[in-house]
């Protein structure tokens, strides 16, 4: 069975791929809005991990709407949620038997409700799988420590291909680099460098 997994090159989506590869032919797809070439970081990690990789072309207007929402709210949650839902819709429209992401049980954003998952499945005749939804952060960290070499650091310093990278680029382009700190709290990101 063919499965498409939304992929950032970080620890959660890489761990999700490893958990699913025994059951599916996994293709890693990075949502791309044409704003930056950060998707290349995910391709490098996918190659390192031995998975097929594709870019998932998404609507740049959705990224602009998400950036506007982030600026209006003063925090990223609703904008990132909008982008994640759009990416899942784009992914579900592909010819996969199943789609997946790396959302964890304790994630604040993005999240997928039971109703949203059921709607995706019903409208697109696809299975939606969240293999990490039963895992909290500490359980994920222990599994990651056993299988992955990971670079961890502040968002602005880590090579990655998540939604935040392109949204930050949009906000900086429109409002200047200082606007990023006004909208995004300091937090660490991860980038997988090796699968053991």
């Amino acid at each position: 069975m063919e499965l498409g997994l939304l992929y950032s090159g970080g620890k959660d989506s890489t761990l999700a791929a490893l958990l699913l590869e025994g059951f599916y032919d996994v293709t890693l797809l990075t949502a791309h809005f044409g704003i930056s070439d950060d998707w290349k970081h995910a391709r490098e990690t996918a190659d390192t991990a031995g998975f097929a990789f594709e870019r998932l072309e998404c609507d740049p207007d959705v990224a602009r709407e998400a950036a506007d929402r982030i600026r209006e709210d003063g925090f990223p949650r609703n904008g990132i949620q909008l982008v994640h839902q759009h990416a899942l819709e784009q992914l579900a429209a592909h010819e996969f038997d199943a789609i997946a992401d790396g959302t964890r049980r304790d994630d604040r954003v993005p999240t997928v409700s039971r109703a949203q998952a059921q709607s995706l499945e019903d409208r697109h005749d696809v299975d939606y799988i969240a293999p990490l939804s039963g895992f909290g952060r500490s359980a994920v960290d222990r599994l990651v420590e056993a299988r992955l070499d990971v670079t961890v650091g502040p968002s602005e310093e880590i090579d990655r291909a998540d939604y935040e990278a392109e949204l930050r680029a949009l906000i900086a382009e429109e409002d200047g680099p200082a606007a990023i700190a006004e909208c995004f709290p300091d937090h660490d990101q991860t980038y997988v460098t090796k699968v053991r």
Side-chain angles (χ1 to χ4, degrees), residues 2-10 13-14 17 25-33 38-43 45-47 51-58 83-84 87-102 161-163:
E2 300 287 331
L3 178 137
L5 172 69
L6 286 179
Y7 189 66
S8 68
S13 55
T14 302
D25 293 323
V26 177
T27 300
L28 306 179
L29 295 98
T30 295
H32 175 63
F33 294 91
D38 287 332
W39 59 269
K40 292 178 181 178
H41 302 302
R43 182 186 62 195
T45 300
D47 290 345
F51 288 98
F53 176 83
E54 295 178 20
R55 284 187 303 173
L56 180 65
E57 301 296 332
C58 293
V83 169
H84 189 70
L88 281 173
E89 289 288 339
Q90 296 299 105
L91 183 58
H94 277 60
E95 297 294 320
F96 291 110
D97 301 302
I99 61 171
D101 60 24
D162 63 1
Y163 312 131

Side-chain angles (χ1 to χ4, degrees), residues 56-140:
L56 180 65
E57 301 296 332
C58 293
D59 185 347
D61 288 339
V62 173
R64 285 185 197 81
E65 181 183 345
D68 289 344
R69 193 172 289 183
I70 290 168
R71 282 197 297 274
E72 289 170 16
D73 293 345
F75 56 87
R77 179 177 175 32
N78 296 323
I80 289 175
Q81 186 67 32
L82 173 69
V83 169
H84 189 70
Q85 289 171 338
H86 175 67
L88 281 173
E89 289 288 339
Q90 296 299 105
L91 183 58
H94 277 60
E95 297 294 320
F96 291 110
D97 301 302
I99 61 171
D101 60 24
T103 57
R104 293 185 324 258
R105 179 185 70 217
D106 54 1
D107 278 342
R108 288 190 218 177
V109 66
T111 60
V112 179
S113 71
R114 180 176 285 172
Q116 290 168 328
Q118 189 66 52
S119 177
L120 271 173
E121 291 178 337
D122 292 345
R123 289 182 292 109
H124 296 282
D125 191 30
V126 66
D127 294 331
Y128 166 74
I129 301 167
L132 301 183
S133 65
F135 294 89
R137 175 182 293 268
S138 60
V140 166

